[in-house]
Every structure is written in C-alpha cells, then in structure tokens.
Amino acid sequence: MLRTQFEEDLNKLHNQFYSMGTQVSAQLNKAVRAFVSHDRDLAEQVIEGDHAINDQEKSLENQSLEMIALQQPVSSDLRTIITVLKASSDLERMGDHVASIAKATISLKGEERIHVVEEDISLLGEKVKSIVDASLNAYIQGNDKRAHEIQEKILDGMKENSETVTTGKEYLLTLVYLERITGYAVNLCEWIVYLATGKITELNSNRDEQF
C-alpha cells in the first residue's frame, strides 16, 4: 500500500476517534440533564445511544489491529495507532458509565428527589464534561503539555465537589460514575503524552517508561 493511502487511513482513524469522543461527551451532557430533570425518555435515548459507542470502539479496534498487522508501522505512526487503540477503549468505558447514570435516572423515577443534591450533581456533570472536552482537544492538538495540565486539575476538582454529595444511593452511584469518567479522562491524557513523547506516564507518579 502506498504511503499516501496509509496516511489517509491514519487520518481517518484520528477523525473516527475524535467523533467517538464527541459522541461520548454529548451522551454525558444528555445523561446528566436527564438525571436532574427526571426525564426518563431522554435517559432511554442515552442508553440506546451507548450501543453506537460500543460499535465505534469495536470498529476502531479492528482498524487499528489491521493497520498494525498489514503495515507494520514504526515510530510515531505506531504510537498513533496504539493511542487510538487504547484510548478508544477508555472512551467506551466512559460511555458505559454515562449509560449507568441514565439507568439511575430510570431507577429514581417516582421517588422523592433531593433537589439541592441534584444541583450539585448538575454542576459536577458540567465540570466533568469540560474535562472530557479539554482532553479531546488536547488529543487533536497533540498537546502533551495541556494534557499534563488537565491531569493536575482533575483530582482536586473532583475531591472538592464530591464532598457535597453525601446522601441517597442513586446519587452516590451517579457521583461514582462521574468520578470514573474523569479517571478515564486521565487515562486519555496519559495516552496523549505517550503519543507526543513515547513515554507512558502515570498520574501522581514520577516514574516514566519509554519504549
């Protein structure tokens, strides 16, 4: 296969990954809106939309593995493919937690709601979405410095907000889902650093591995 064709396939892989990320972000926005507005229909749309995200992750995995097997890319090209392969799995897991928030919305239908807690969850959901969006933008820009900055802000922000949510099973579960989504956003930032530098870096770790 000609180099130009390989580059086109690589660009397609980039675009499909980013498209998957924007869908996850949109799903997150809808799930939090459904939760705080008690909108069961919107929650069911989110659950249904999770199937499309799962399909995209499988497609990206198949394309990545095929490119590795057939083209045997090296250096930065290989890092790009590995980044998409690994990071798309993180996006898929984000989508799973988003769907869980939607399921919690349905579980709470008809139950007495705690509005002050829902206001906190709404604000937290907005912050989590902004983190996901910032991570995706750092990926598109190939900005590993920005990825490090996002990492540094995540844990403190989550700790500050999580302390306000202290009651209700479904509320606590929803908080856990949002925290896990930010955890996968951290993973995404780590893959951005790998893409740019070839180093696998763990948050709050001073040890880097390079290959």
Side-chain angles (χ1 to χ4, degrees):
M1 184 181 294
L2 296 175
R3 174 68 189 180
T4 53
Q5 181 62 54
F6 177 78
E7 289 174 348
E8 289 178 6
D9 291 343
L10 206 57
N11 190 52
K12 181 179 179 181
L13 205 66
H14 268 302
N15 291 338
Q16 289 183 348
F17 174 80
Y18 185 73
S19 175
M20 180 182 177
T22 57
Q23 286 191 42
V24 170
S25 177
Q27 284 275 95
L28 173 59
N29 182 55
K30 288 196 293 185
V32 174
R33 282 197 292 115
F35 188 88
V36 299
S37 64
H38 319 161
D39 190 335
R40 180 171 184 152
D41 291 337
L42 184 57
E44 289 176 345
Q45 289 179 29
V46 172
I47 294 169
E48 182 62 29
D50 186 51
H51 299 304
I53 291 174
N54 293 341
D55 290 342
Q56 286 197 52
E57 191 268 338
K58 291 177 183 176
S59 175
L60 284 168
E61 179 182 17
N62 290 337
Q63 291 178 64
S64 298
L65 293 175
E66 183 176 302
M67 291 179 71
I68 292 172
L70 297 180
Q71 298 304 311
Q72 298 181 348
V74 296
S75 190
S76 62
D77 290 338
L78 180 59
R79 291 207 304 268
T80 297
I81 297 172
I82 290 175
T83 297
V84 170
L85 179 64
K86 296 294 188 178
S88 62
S89 178
D90 291 329
L91 287 180
E92 189 274 333
R93 291 187 178 96
M94 287 186 199
D96 287 343
H97 292 308
V98 168
S100 294
I101 293 173
K103 292 173 184 176
T105 301
I106 294 173
S107 297
L108 279 171
K109 189 68 176 180
E111 299 291 333
E112 184 177 351
R113 309 299 285 260
I114 307 173
H115 296 292
V116 64
V117 176
E118 290 180 351
E119 290 176 1
D120 289 333
I121 288 177
S122 179
L123 291 172
L124 181 56
E126 291 176 5
K127 290 187 177 182
V128 173
K129 182 181 182 298
S130 71
I131 288 169
V132 173
D133 291 343
S135 300
L136 289 169
N137 288 334
Y139 168 80
I140 287 295
Q141 297 165 7
N143 191 336
D144 58 308
K145 180 180 179 181
R146 177 60 178 149
H148 275 300
E149 291 172 354
I150 295 168
Q151 287 179 337
E152 291 171 0
K153 292 179 180 178
I154 287 175
L155 294 183
D156 287 342
M158 288 301 298
K159 181 179 179 181
E160 176 184 343
N161 287 278
S162 64
E163 290 172 352
T164 65
V165 183
T166 58
T167 185
K169 176 184 175 182
E170 298 299 339
Y171 294 114
L172 291 174
L173 285 175
T174 297
L175 173 64
V176 169
Y177 300 141
L178 290 171
E179 288 179 330
R180 288 178 178 172
I181 290 168
T182 60
Y184 287 117
V186 170
N187 291 353
L188 176 54
C189 289
E190 291 170 354
W191 285 115
I192 295 166
V193 174
Y194 167 73
L195 176 60
T197 67
K199 295 180 180 180
I200 297 177
T201 306
E202 292 187 6
L203 185 62
N204 290 334
S205 173
N206 293 322
R207 294 176 300 174
D208 294 342
E209 179 181 351
Q210 185 172 10
F211 59 88

